[in-house]
Amino acid sequence: HDPPYLQGLSHFLEHMLFLGTEKYPADNEYDAFLSREGGTNNAYTEMEHTLYHFAIPQEGTGEKNIWKALEMFSTFFKCPLLGGEQAHRELNAVESEFEMNKMDDDTRLQQLMCFSCGMDGEAKIMGRNDNSGYGKFGDSMQQSENSFHPFAKFSWGNMQTLKVEPEANGIDVMKELKEYYHAHYFARNMRLVVMAGYELDEIQRRVVECFRDVPADPRIVIDNQSDPTLIPPTHLKPYQLPFHSTSLASIYRILPVRHCHSLTLTWQIPSICQHWRTKPHDFIAHLMGHEASGSILSTLKKRGWAMGCSAGTGEDGLGDASTHALFTFHVSLSKRGVRCWEEVVKVVFCYIGMLRYHFQEGYVDGKGKKTEGLPQWIYDELKSIANVSYRYADEGDVEEIVEEIAENMALWYGLPEERVLDGDELLFDDVVDNETVKDLLFNYLTPQNLRVDLMSSLFGRESNFDEAIKDQRKGNVG
């Protein structure tokens, strides 16, 4: 949701909410209170949402303080200060977070995908009433060759995108920040999960008491939205697939920070949110990521090309969104495998071809009728495993449980209320959605829709590259 001219604004706003509210204006008053009571808190921003969470021990903490923590938390969404001298400090915190994470190879690969997806439009600075392309807050979502897909944005944000460039273009960042807050932080665009060892009536009473003053609708009307009461599940869905055709059927060779050799095959597919009942993407991932005899991995190991592999759609906001999903096949390569990466890709597509063949051959169902699709026993096995794993799962961490429930409540996931707890874990229908399995196998898992990322320290290391750049700037290298 970040404007193209203020990328990272959602992340910056996440940081700013912790700096104080009108009722609790002292610097880090919320953090200090939780620390004194043995509690913790944090937040994170994904492509389509920001999630805030806290925990406070119930034993050894007075009941009054437990509910005070919830009340202090609620002021984030009613009366944050969003300004002051601390703003620059938090901007430095965002910059530090960026500097730390840019040395992580997984994060670097993710950002390379975003940067090179070919859907960053022209990213010009928008005027206040400009409706010619993106508009303020990206409301005009016209699909075109120059679309600025949310995937293409730099969601981390840093000093360059949140200070240097905006100031050079005459943009008041703090004014934009406050308007962004007023446009997006309202009750009908939020979900709240509270887990506590009290009667449900008591929890409900406290929640109503703390959050009843959060505005139901946007405090300001978003551009081009004539009726602010009509809130769609997400403003991003119309964007759809993130990779432009020019960025596909291509290979990207990457210098890693740490010593590693890996091959990542990525296919963009339509959003999987609506397929929660049978999860056809997981069905295919199970087969491609299998390690038994005859699998992709067993073949690669026999040839000395790989040590491990995994398959499936990403669980983060960039890999699993209302706009799209990214289906990846990741291989941990040997040095020999790096040199033979094209053969590794051939093995993967040979396996996909085998799945296509057996899908068309079909199987005989329980009624003796031949049906197009892969053998039914595979889905039955996955369904049984999911049931057993869910039923006998270890007791989870409280914070992780409420985070997962809050995410499952997002409207774009389409889970009914009765499935918020288990909708992302279990399989519900008796037969997999073969129509979607076929669509994925034949129309999306293709060479034309593939992006190849080959990362290896055989190409050099990022530290070596940095040293070469420094030498070149000093004039030591021609």
Side-chain angles (χ1 to χ4, degrees), residues 276-279 379 383 387 415 418-419 421-431:
W276 59 271
R277 295 192 64 85
T278 66
K279 302 175 178 60
Y379 179 77
K383 186 175 182 180
N387 286 334
L415 291 176
E418 65 272 17
R419 290 300 175 202
L421 295 178
D422 60 11
D424 64 336
E425 300 286 345
L426 302 178
L427 300 172
F428 298 93
D429 292 348
D430 293 331
V431 181

PDB file of all heavy atoms in Angstrom, residues 276-279 379 383 387 415 418-419 421-431:
ATOM      1  N   TRP A 276      -8.314 -23.019  -0.017  1.00  0.00           N
ATOM      2  CA  TRP A 276      -7.939 -23.518   1.307  1.00  0.00           C
ATOM      3  C   TRP A 276      -8.536 -24.890   1.622  1.00  0.00           C
ATOM      4  O   TRP A 276      -8.010 -25.613   2.470  1.00  0.00           O
ATOM      5  CB  TRP A 276      -8.359 -22.513   2.382  1.00  0.00           C
ATOM      6  CG  TRP A 276      -9.834 -22.215   2.419  1.00  0.00           C
ATOM      7  CD1 TRP A 276     -10.495 -21.248   1.717  1.00  0.00           C
ATOM      8  CD2 TRP A 276     -10.824 -22.888   3.192  1.00  0.00           C
ATOM      9  NE1 TRP A 276     -11.836 -21.271   1.995  1.00  0.00           N
ATOM     10  CE2 TRP A 276     -12.068 -22.275   2.911  1.00  0.00           C
ATOM     11  CE3 TRP A 276     -10.790 -23.948   4.108  1.00  0.00           C
ATOM     12  CZ2 TRP A 276     -13.262 -22.683   3.500  1.00  0.00           C
ATOM     13  CZ3 TRP A 276     -11.977 -24.354   4.706  1.00  0.00           C
ATOM     14  CH2 TRP A 276     -13.193 -23.738   4.400  1.00  0.00           C
ATOM     15  N   ARG A 277      -9.590 -25.292   0.954  1.00  0.00           N
ATOM     16  CA  ARG A 277     -10.244 -26.560   1.301  1.00  0.00           C
ATOM     17  C   ARG A 277      -9.399 -27.773   0.907  1.00  0.00           C
ATOM     18  O   ARG A 277      -9.318 -28.751   1.649  1.00  0.00           O
ATOM     19  CB  ARG A 277     -11.627 -26.660   0.656  1.00  0.00           C
ATOM     20  CG  ARG A 277     -12.628 -25.616   1.173  1.00  0.00           C
ATOM     21  CD  ARG A 277     -14.044 -25.951   0.714  1.00  0.00           C
ATOM     22  NE  ARG A 277     -14.499 -27.230   1.279  1.00  0.00           N
ATOM     23  CZ  ARG A 277     -15.057 -27.370   2.468  1.00  0.00           C
ATOM     24  NH1 ARG A 277     -15.230 -26.306   3.252  1.00  0.00           N
ATOM     25  NH2 ARG A 277     -15.443 -28.549   2.893  1.00  0.00           N
ATOM     26  N   THR A 278      -8.758 -27.745  -0.267  1.00  0.00           N
ATOM     27  CA  THR A 278      -7.968 -28.911  -0.698  1.00  0.00           C
ATOM     28  C   THR A 278      -6.501 -28.584  -0.948  1.00  0.00           C
ATOM     29  O   THR A 278      -5.705 -29.493  -1.160  1.00  0.00           O
ATOM     30  CB  THR A 278      -8.560 -29.526  -1.989  1.00  0.00           C
ATOM     31  OG1 THR A 278      -8.411 -28.589  -3.069  1.00  0.00           O
ATOM     32  CG2 THR A 278     -10.027 -29.877  -1.802  1.00  0.00           C
ATOM     33  N   LYS A 279      -6.136 -27.315  -0.993  1.00  0.00           N
ATOM     34  CA  LYS A 279      -4.737 -26.877  -1.115  1.00  0.00           C
ATOM     35  C   LYS A 279      -4.003 -27.613  -2.244  1.00  0.00           C
ATOM     36  O   LYS A 279      -3.010 -28.324  -2.017  1.00  0.00           O
ATOM     37  CB  LYS A 279      -4.006 -27.073   0.215  1.00  0.00           C
ATOM     38  CG  LYS A 279      -4.679 -26.312   1.369  1.00  0.00           C
ATOM     39  CD  LYS A 279      -4.033 -26.607   2.700  1.00  0.00           C
ATOM     40  CE  LYS A 279      -4.678 -25.812   3.822  1.00  0.00           C
ATOM     41  NZ  LYS A 279      -6.130 -26.074   4.003  1.00  0.00           N
ATOM     42  N   TYR A 379      -3.721 -37.920  -2.107  1.00  0.00           N
ATOM     43  CA  TYR A 379      -4.475 -36.908  -1.375  1.00  0.00           C
ATOM     44  C   TYR A 379      -4.993 -37.466  -0.054  1.00  0.00           C
ATOM     45  O   TYR A 379      -4.948 -36.778   0.984  1.00  0.00           O
ATOM     46  CB  TYR A 379      -5.645 -36.411  -2.235  1.00  0.00           C
ATOM     47  CG  TYR A 379      -6.504 -35.367  -1.559  1.00  0.00           C
ATOM     48  CD1 TYR A 379      -6.081 -34.051  -1.449  1.00  0.00           C
ATOM     49  CD2 TYR A 379      -7.746 -35.717  -1.016  1.00  0.00           C
ATOM     50  CE1 TYR A 379      -6.870 -33.092  -0.817  1.00  0.00           C
ATOM     51  CE2 TYR A 379      -8.542 -34.761  -0.390  1.00  0.00           C
ATOM     52  CZ  TYR A 379      -8.094 -33.453  -0.291  1.00  0.00           C
ATOM     53  OH  TYR A 379      -8.877 -32.515   0.340  1.00  0.00           O
ATOM     54  N   LYS A 383      -4.214 -35.915   3.621  1.00  0.00           N
ATOM     55  CA  LYS A 383      -5.311 -35.513   4.501  1.00  0.00           C
ATOM     56  C   LYS A 383      -5.190 -36.173   5.868  1.00  0.00           C
ATOM     57  O   LYS A 383      -5.381 -35.532   6.913  1.00  0.00           O
ATOM     58  CB  LYS A 383      -6.653 -35.873   3.852  1.00  0.00           C
ATOM     59  CG  LYS A 383      -7.862 -35.363   4.607  1.00  0.00           C
ATOM     60  CD  LYS A 383      -9.145 -35.643   3.836  1.00  0.00           C
ATOM     61  CE  LYS A 383     -10.359 -35.090   4.584  1.00  0.00           C
ATOM     62  NZ  LYS A 383     -11.615 -35.350   3.829  1.00  0.00           N
ATOM     63  N   ASN A 387      -4.477 -34.346   9.537  1.00  0.00           N
ATOM     64  CA  ASN A 387      -5.378 -34.533  10.679  1.00  0.00           C
ATOM     65  C   ASN A 387      -4.620 -34.959  11.930  1.00  0.00           C
ATOM     66  O   ASN A 387      -4.845 -34.432  13.027  1.00  0.00           O
ATOM     67  CB  ASN A 387      -6.447 -35.580  10.343  1.00  0.00           C
ATOM     68  CG  ASN A 387      -7.498 -35.048   9.394  1.00  0.00           C
ATOM     69  OD1 ASN A 387      -7.736 -33.843   9.338  1.00  0.00           O
ATOM     70  ND2 ASN A 387      -8.134 -35.924   8.636  1.00  0.00           N
ATOM     71  N   LEU A 415     -11.359 -17.332   4.743  1.00  0.00           N
ATOM     72  CA  LEU A 415     -11.707 -18.406   5.666  1.00  0.00           C
ATOM     73  C   LEU A 415     -12.986 -18.061   6.413  1.00  0.00           C
ATOM     74  O   LEU A 415     -13.107 -16.964   6.953  1.00  0.00           O
ATOM     75  CB  LEU A 415     -10.580 -18.640   6.681  1.00  0.00           C
ATOM     76  CG  LEU A 415      -9.276 -19.234   6.161  1.00  0.00           C
ATOM     77  CD1 LEU A 415      -8.240 -19.293   7.285  1.00  0.00           C
ATOM     78  CD2 LEU A 415      -9.500 -20.633   5.589  1.00  0.00           C
ATOM     79  N   GLU A 418     -15.711 -20.338  11.309  1.00  0.00           N
ATOM     80  CA  GLU A 418     -15.523 -21.632  11.968  1.00  0.00           C
ATOM     81  C   GLU A 418     -14.237 -22.319  11.547  1.00  0.00           C
ATOM     82  O   GLU A 418     -13.873 -23.372  12.099  1.00  0.00           O
ATOM     83  CB  GLU A 418     -16.716 -22.551  11.676  1.00  0.00           C
ATOM     84  CG  GLU A 418     -16.895 -22.947  10.215  1.00  0.00           C
ATOM     85  CD  GLU A 418     -17.745 -21.969   9.421  1.00  0.00           C
ATOM     86  OE1 GLU A 418     -17.933 -20.812   9.903  1.00  0.00           O
ATOM     87  OE2 GLU A 418     -18.213 -22.348   8.326  1.00  0.00           O
ATOM     88  N   ARG A 419     -13.486 -21.755  10.581  1.00  0.00           N
ATOM     89  CA  ARG A 419     -12.253 -22.373  10.115  1.00  0.00           C
ATOM     90  C   ARG A 419     -11.027 -21.492  10.344  1.00  0.00           C
ATOM     91  O   ARG A 419      -9.957 -21.765   9.798  1.00  0.00           O
ATOM     92  CB  ARG A 419     -12.368 -22.719   8.621  1.00  0.00           C
ATOM     93  CG  ARG A 419     -13.324 -23.865   8.330  1.00  0.00           C
ATOM     94  CD  ARG A 419     -12.885 -25.126   9.032  1.00  0.00           C
ATOM     95  NE  ARG A 419     -13.826 -26.231   8.874  1.00  0.00           N
ATOM     96  CZ  ARG A 419     -13.902 -27.256   9.695  1.00  0.00           C
ATOM     97  NH1 ARG A 419     -13.090 -27.311  10.752  1.00  0.00           N
ATOM     98  NH2 ARG A 419     -14.752 -28.224   9.497  1.00  0.00           N
ATOM     99  N   LEU A 421      -9.264 -21.271  12.965  1.00  0.00           N
ATOM    100  CA  LEU A 421      -8.249 -21.989  13.740  1.00  0.00           C
ATOM    101  C   LEU A 421      -7.546 -23.080  12.934  1.00  0.00           C
ATOM    102  O   LEU A 421      -6.361 -23.339  13.144  1.00  0.00           O
ATOM    103  CB  LEU A 421      -8.880 -22.607  14.989  1.00  0.00           C
ATOM    104  CG  LEU A 421      -9.426 -21.639  16.036  1.00  0.00           C
ATOM    105  CD1 LEU A 421     -10.067 -22.419  17.186  1.00  0.00           C
ATOM    106  CD2 LEU A 421      -8.329 -20.732  16.567  1.00  0.00           C
ATOM    107  N   ASP A 422      -8.259 -23.739  12.027  1.00  0.00           N
ATOM    108  CA  ASP A 422      -7.663 -24.895  11.352  1.00  0.00           C
ATOM    109  C   ASP A 422      -7.687 -24.821   9.827  1.00  0.00           C
ATOM    110  O   ASP A 422      -7.223 -25.725   9.146  1.00  0.00           O
ATOM    111  CB  ASP A 422      -8.360 -26.187  11.792  1.00  0.00           C
ATOM    112  CG  ASP A 422      -9.860 -26.193  11.477  1.00  0.00           C
ATOM    113  OD1 ASP A 422     -10.333 -25.304  10.749  1.00  0.00           O
ATOM    114  OD2 ASP A 422     -10.571 -27.094  11.978  1.00  0.00           O
ATOM    115  N   GLY A 423      -8.209 -23.734   9.265  1.00  0.00           N
ATOM    116  CA  GLY A 423      -8.354 -23.646   7.822  1.00  0.00           C
ATOM    117  C   GLY A 423      -7.063 -23.702   7.044  1.00  0.00           C
ATOM    118  O   GLY A 423      -7.051 -24.152   5.892  1.00  0.00           O
ATOM    119  N   ASP A 424      -5.983 -23.248   7.642  1.00  0.00           N
ATOM    120  CA  ASP A 424      -4.693 -23.282   6.941  1.00  0.00           C
ATOM    121  C   ASP A 424      -3.896 -24.548   7.235  1.00  0.00           C
ATOM    122  O   ASP A 424      -2.784 -24.714   6.723  1.00  0.00           O
ATOM    123  CB  ASP A 424      -3.867 -22.051   7.299  1.00  0.00           C
ATOM    124  CG  ASP A 424      -3.490 -21.997   8.769  1.00  0.00           C
ATOM    125  OD1 ASP A 424      -4.216 -22.616   9.581  1.00  0.00           O
ATOM    126  OD2 ASP A 424      -2.487 -21.347   9.115  1.00  0.00           O
ATOM    127  N   GLU A 425      -4.460 -25.452   8.041  1.00  0.00           N
ATOM    128  CA  GLU A 425      -3.736 -26.657   8.434  1.00  0.00           C
ATOM    129  C   GLU A 425      -4.316 -27.941   7.825  1.00  0.00           C
ATOM    130  O   GLU A 425      -3.568 -28.848   7.469  1.00  0.00           O
ATOM    131  CB  GLU A 425      -3.764 -26.800   9.966  1.00  0.00           C
ATOM    132  CG  GLU A 425      -3.127 -25.649  10.727  1.00  0.00           C
ATOM    133  CD  GLU A 425      -1.620 -25.660  10.657  1.00  0.00           C
ATOM    134  OE1 GLU A 425      -1.053 -26.707  10.273  1.00  0.00           O
ATOM    135  OE2 GLU A 425      -1.005 -24.628  10.976  1.00  0.00           O
ATOM    136  N   LEU A 426      -5.638 -28.011   7.720  1.00  0.00           N
ATOM    137  CA  LEU A 426      -6.304 -29.266   7.356  1.00  0.00           C
ATOM    138  C   LEU A 426      -6.794 -29.271   5.909  1.00  0.00           C
ATOM    139  O   LEU A 426      -6.864 -28.228   5.254  1.00  0.00           O
ATOM    140  CB  LEU A 426      -7.487 -29.515   8.294  1.00  0.00           C
ATOM    141  CG  LEU A 426      -7.169 -29.588   9.787  1.00  0.00           C
ATOM    142  CD1 LEU A 426      -8.451 -29.794  10.591  1.00  0.00           C
ATOM    143  CD2 LEU A 426      -6.175 -30.703  10.069  1.00  0.00           C
ATOM    144  N   LEU A 427      -7.143 -30.459   5.431  1.00  0.00           N
ATOM    145  CA  LEU A 427      -7.784 -30.652   4.133  1.00  0.00           C
ATOM    146  C   LEU A 427      -9.229 -31.070   4.390  1.00  0.00           C
ATOM    147  O   LEU A 427      -9.473 -31.938   5.222  1.00  0.00           O
ATOM    148  CB  LEU A 427      -7.042 -31.709   3.318  1.00  0.00           C
ATOM    149  CG  LEU A 427      -5.564 -31.386   3.025  1.00  0.00           C
ATOM    150  CD1 LEU A 427      -4.871 -32.583   2.387  1.00  0.00           C
ATOM    151  CD2 LEU A 427      -5.454 -30.170   2.123  1.00  0.00           C
ATOM    152  N   PHE A 428     -10.178 -30.508   3.657  1.00  0.00           N
ATOM    153  CA  PHE A 428     -11.577 -30.668   4.034  1.00  0.00           C
ATOM    154  C   PHE A 428     -12.416 -31.468   3.043  1.00  0.00           C
ATOM    155  O   PHE A 428     -13.389 -32.112   3.436  1.00  0.00           O
ATOM    156  CB  PHE A 428     -12.203 -29.291   4.253  1.00  0.00           C
ATOM    157  CG  PHE A 428     -11.548 -28.527   5.366  1.00  0.00           C
ATOM    158  CD1 PHE A 428     -10.508 -27.645   5.110  1.00  0.00           C
ATOM    159  CD2 PHE A 428     -11.943 -28.702   6.676  1.00  0.00           C
ATOM    160  CE1 PHE A 428      -9.890 -26.942   6.133  1.00  0.00           C
ATOM    161  CE2 PHE A 428     -11.334 -28.017   7.714  1.00  0.00           C
ATOM    162  CZ  PHE A 428     -10.304 -27.129   7.437  1.00  0.00           C
ATOM    163  N   ASP A 429     -12.087 -31.420   1.765  1.00  0.00           N
ATOM    164  CA  ASP A 429     -12.876 -32.165   0.789  1.00  0.00           C
ATOM    165  C   ASP A 429     -12.331 -33.575   0.618  1.00  0.00           C
ATOM    166  O   ASP A 429     -11.182 -33.864   0.973  1.00  0.00           O
ATOM    167  CB  ASP A 429     -12.881 -31.435  -0.552  1.00  0.00           C
ATOM    168  CG  ASP A 429     -13.655 -30.129  -0.485  1.00  0.00           C
ATOM    169  OD1 ASP A 429     -14.363 -29.921   0.529  1.00  0.00           O
ATOM    170  OD2 ASP A 429     -13.542 -29.325  -1.426  1.00  0.00           O
ATOM    171  N   ASP A 430     -13.148 -34.455   0.049  1.00  0.00           N
ATOM    172  CA  ASP A 430     -12.738 -35.853  -0.133  1.00  0.00           C
ATOM    173  C   ASP A 430     -11.809 -36.034  -1.327  1.00  0.00           C
ATOM    174  O   ASP A 430     -11.081 -37.026  -1.405  1.00  0.00           O
ATOM    175  CB  ASP A 430     -13.978 -36.740  -0.301  1.00  0.00           C
ATOM    176  CG  ASP A 430     -14.820 -36.812   0.962  1.00  0.00           C
ATOM    177  OD1 ASP A 430     -14.248 -36.672   2.058  1.00  0.00           O
ATOM    178  OD2 ASP A 430     -16.051 -36.986   0.850  1.00  0.00           O
ATOM    179  N   VAL A 431     -11.857 -35.110  -2.267  1.00  0.00           N
ATOM    180  CA  VAL A 431     -11.044 -35.198  -3.483  1.00  0.00           C
ATOM    181  C   VAL A 431     -10.348 -33.861  -3.704  1.00  0.00           C
ATOM    182  O   VAL A 431     -10.940 -32.800  -3.475  1.00  0.00           O
ATOM    183  CB  VAL A 431     -11.915 -35.538  -4.723  1.00  0.00           C
ATOM    184  CG1 VAL A 431     -11.051 -35.650  -5.970  1.00  0.00           C
ATOM    185  CG2 VAL A 431     -12.693 -36.830  -4.494  1.00  0.00           C
TER     186      VAL A 431
END
